[in-house]
Amino acid sequence: MSDEIFQSYGIHRWSQGMFAQLDNGDLGLVNPARPDAPPASLPDLLHNLDARGIHTPVLVRVGAFLRRQLEALNASFAKAIAANDYQGTYRGVFPIKVNQQAEVIDRIVEYGRPFQFGLEAGSKPELILALSRDLPKGALLICNGIKDPEFIRLGILARKAGINCVLVIESPGEADTVIAEARRLGEMPALGVRIKLTRRVTGNWADSSGDRSTFGLTTKEVVDLVDKLRDAEMLDCLVLQHAHLGSQVPQVIDIRQAVDEACRFYTELRRLGVPLQYLDLGGGLGIDYTGEARASENSINYTMDEYCANIVETVKYQMDEAEVPHPTLVTESGRAIVAYSSMLLSDILEASYFDRSAPITPEEDDHHMLSDMAAIVSYLTPRRVQECLNDAEYYREELRALFRRGVIGIEEVARAEQIFLYVIGRIKDLVAQTPDVPAEVREELSAHRDIYRANFSLFQSLPDVWAIDQLVPIAPLQRLNETPGRRAVLSDITCDSDGKIDHFVLGDGIGNALPVHELQPGTRYFIGIFLVGAYQETLGDLHNLFGDTNIVTVDFNEDGVLELQSEVEGDTVAEVMAYVEYEPKQCLDAFKRIVERGVREGALNPAQRRMLMQTYRDALSGYTYYEHEEQEHA
Ligand SMILES: Cc1ncc(COP(=O)(O)O)c(C=O)c1O
């Protein structure tokens, strides 16, 4: 079977082998433990969930993919450590902010147990949830962020309970609070210092690195901190040096240079007598969202193995030069661990086909420009394509202007629109059969794309796509053995012009339209939006009051069968109303009074009143997304 269509979505490039096509054209999940077994069909999964009353849009988390990534990171470090005869070990931590959901954190703790994998908390609430997770002995709990005395007390006292909490000092003032709290409690903390590297990395998050980073101590402040801790007889507490390399760093050379600089700080601090043992390099390990394997904002020019090898080699070289014992390496990789394991699956509710228009003849009294536009097809030849396109657009603009000035009426504009779409359709057909059409014509025509309306909210489920133009791979979940004949942009169901996706990861780069199949009446057309496990789940907002989607966690069982392991129901309308300070019961009562007035005034009969109130009640307790009629009665 040819996998040309599968490849046209670039799935073979970005999926790292975790997705594959089934013989029937479905997209499926590959079991990492049995890569040769038939993949588990995603449309089948959605039909099964539907039958259980769990409807689209649904965020699907795949436990096996999370485990795969966590194990891969530890294996890559172990390989680099062995290859370089590095004397230290690797102790990763997962930064909770990247995905705080309990199900995800619990799995990370469970899968990470053999590697003594820990957590990173960037705030007091994150620390509080991390403290409740029973981390394995030896695992680190790194505390970043601005800390109040209560946060610091928790971090100091938790050590007494066997939790390896390290308080990373982020500002000069924080050191004073730490010293005061330690004295008050009569207990010694484990401390880290966050240094500000001067090297800037490239990419979308460049500002979180280098001098412009708002976090960390300047070199002078680091030296002052050492003196302060020495004076307080607490220098022995300073065991960790933290430097956040950045996030989604596109180039491996940036990583090497930043690690190099971090090592200079480390060896110098050791020279000053600081008993550092841990070198924490923060985040930065990127994801190849586009699969292009190049240094760009949505791609990376290195593999996980290369990332680890670069770190280990650089640290070893620098430490050996300075005759400093090899530190325990710590990274706070977030997206590399969780991005692959979550995907948003939804369905297309309807399509507006751009060029779906039958030829029509203008009416006798119509403005002559309608006939002029209709006549374009009579001189449409491969050599005159550009001219025909210009003419069609010119007539359309002129006719719209005539409408605005009150010269022609709405029916005439409607006919003009239909003629325009017909002409463009004919031009597109000709261009499809003509190889040497100028690129500009193709580009111009590609602006005339279908609109496929999908059941999700960009603002709730893909905030980075809206806010920072993050690219995430998108593909249909079925009919991958059938050439997709249409090109579409995806629009969500918020009534906001920003709620659309018009840049897509494709097999040959980035395109402004997604190849899609024509919808078949009565058959649902599912799409998947992939690699959304990092940062998207909690950053989303309630734009248009679309709430959290349904979430399921699935995993392969011992027999290799995909099974549903847990389910979190998405928000109901009543829940999102409460978030924005409406009391659903009060709304119901208020609406009841309005409806009753209608009955009194004779506008509604009692049966209509009953049906209206019942519909309101049902909607309050229902899903915030588009519900298909048959689902509502399921
Ligand atoms: C201190 C810190 N650690 C770790 C991370 C995670 O980074 P990434 O998701 O790129 O691995 C971040 C994110 O920016 C961060 O600020």
Side-chain angles (χ1 to χ4, degrees), residues 82-240:
N84 287 283
D85 196 20
Y86 188 81
Q87 299 305 304
T89 50
Y90 169 67
R91 288 273 175 280
V93 292
F94 177 76
I96 295 173
K97 70 174 170 194
V98 180
N99 192 323
Q100 297 113 327
Q101 307 299 315
E103 170 90 42
V104 174
I105 296 296
D106 284 347
R107 282 177 187 258
I108 288 172
V109 172
E110 181 195 332
Y111 302 152
R113 207 165 280 282
F115 311 104
Q116 293 168 297
F117 210 77
L119 293 170
E120 182 261 1
S123 66
K124 191 162 52 177
E126 287 183 0
L127 173 64
I128 287 168
L129 77 83
L131 288 173
S132 70
R133 294 300 99 175
D134 195 18
L135 288 173
K137 264 217 154 4
L140 288 161
L141 173 44
I142 305 280
C143 302
N144 291 325
I146 306 301
K147 302 167 203 64
D148 63 11
E150 188 176 51
F151 187 150
I152 290 167
R153 276 199 300 281
L154 274 173
I156 296 176
L157 290 175
R159 293 187 66 77
K160 304 294 288 175
I163 301 168
N164 197 2
C165 247
V166 181
L167 296 168
V168 177
I169 294 180
E170 299 256 4
S171 67
E174 203 160 84
D176 296 326
T177 321
V178 168
I179 292 169
E181 285 301 320
R183 287 204 175 123
R184 205 156 74 83
L185 297 169
E187 292 295 338
M188 285 296 136
L191 297 179
V193 53
R194 179 157 178 176
I195 56 162
K196 205 183 253 200
L197 297 178
T198 59
R199 285 269 182 201
R200 289 193 73 203
V201 300
T202 48
N204 247 337
W205 284 269
D207 283 354
S208 66
S209 64
D211 287 335
R212 282 162 67 183
S213 155
T214 47
F215 293 102
L217 275 66
T218 61
T219 314
K220 163 89 169 64
E221 288 166 344
V222 173
V223 174
D224 288 350
L225 173 72
V226 171
D227 291 341
K228 193 180 278 181
L229 290 174
R230 188 177 276 122
D231 291 348
E233 295 183 354
M234 283 177 63
L235 195 56
D236 282 354
C237 301
L238 190 52
V239 291
L240 179 141

Side-chain angles (χ1 to χ4, degrees), residues 99 102 280 334 374 490 577:
N99 192 323
D280 181 346
L490 287 186
M577 282 170 68

Side-chain angles (χ1 to χ4, degrees), residues 266-267 270-271 276 318-327:
Y266 189 97
T267 53
R270 288 280 307 200
R271 189 175 61 76
L276 291 172
Q318 286 272 7
M319 298 299 145
D320 288 351
E321 282 287 290
E323 296 181 5
V324 166
H326 297 171

Side-chain angles (χ1 to χ4, degrees), residues 242-380:
H242 181 288
H244 175 50
L245 301 192
S247 191
Q248 185 62 21
V249 177
Q251 322 216 39
V252 78
I253 183 76
D254 286 348
I255 289 170
R256 194 177 265 276
Q257 287 172 345
V259 174
D260 209 48
E261 189 183 359
C263 289
R264 282 291 298 138
F265 277 94
Y266 189 97
T267 53
E268 282 298 289
L269 287 174
R270 288 280 307 200
R271 189 175 61 76
L272 296 184
V274 183
L276 291 172
Q277 298 164 32
Y278 298 98
L279 178 63
D280 181 346
L281 298 164
L285 171 55
I287 289 284
D288 195 355
Y289 290 97
T290 65
E292 294 171 294
R294 69 186 182 94
S296 70
E297 280 173 3
N298 293 289
S299 181
I300 50 173
N301 73 353
Y302 54 93
T303 61
M304 192 183 262
D305 274 352
E306 283 162 27
Y307 165 85
C308 297
N310 269 274
I311 290 178
V312 175
E313 276 165 33
T314 311
V315 177
K316 177 177 156 66
Y317 177 80
Q318 286 272 7
M319 298 299 145
D320 288 351
E321 282 287 290
E323 296 181 5
V324 166
H326 297 171
T328 299
L329 295 170
V330 181
T331 65
E332 303 176 356
S333 287
R335 73 177 70 233
I337 302 241
V338 287
Y340 288 100
S341 57
S342 297
M343 61 211 73
L344 181 71
L345 307 185
S346 192
D347 55 339
I348 301 295
L349 299 173
E350 64 180 317
S352 301
Y353 295 116
F354 186 81
D355 50 5
R356 186 52 51 84
S357 191
I360 59 156
T361 324
E363 299 199 351
E364 213 175 314
D365 293 339
D366 278 351
H367 194 279
H368 69 86
M369 268 195 266
L370 271 83
S371 325
D372 296 344
M373 183 152 65
I376 293 175
V377 292
S378 66
Y379 54 86
L380 176 61

Side-chain angles (χ1 to χ4, degrees), residues 566-578:
S566 70
E567 167 200 350
V568 182
E569 277 185 37
D571 288 329
T572 62
V573 172
E575 281 163 347
V576 296
M577 282 170 68

Side-chain angles (χ1 to χ4, degrees), residues 609-628:
R609 177 205 132 114
R610 197 176 63 232
M611 189 197 265
L612 181 52
M613 287 315 302
Q614 192 51 46
T615 309
Y616 190 90
R617 266 192 211 93
D618 289 349
L620 263 184
S621 59
Y623 204 15
T624 56
Y625 292 90
Y626 185 100
E627 294 178 298
H628 296 273

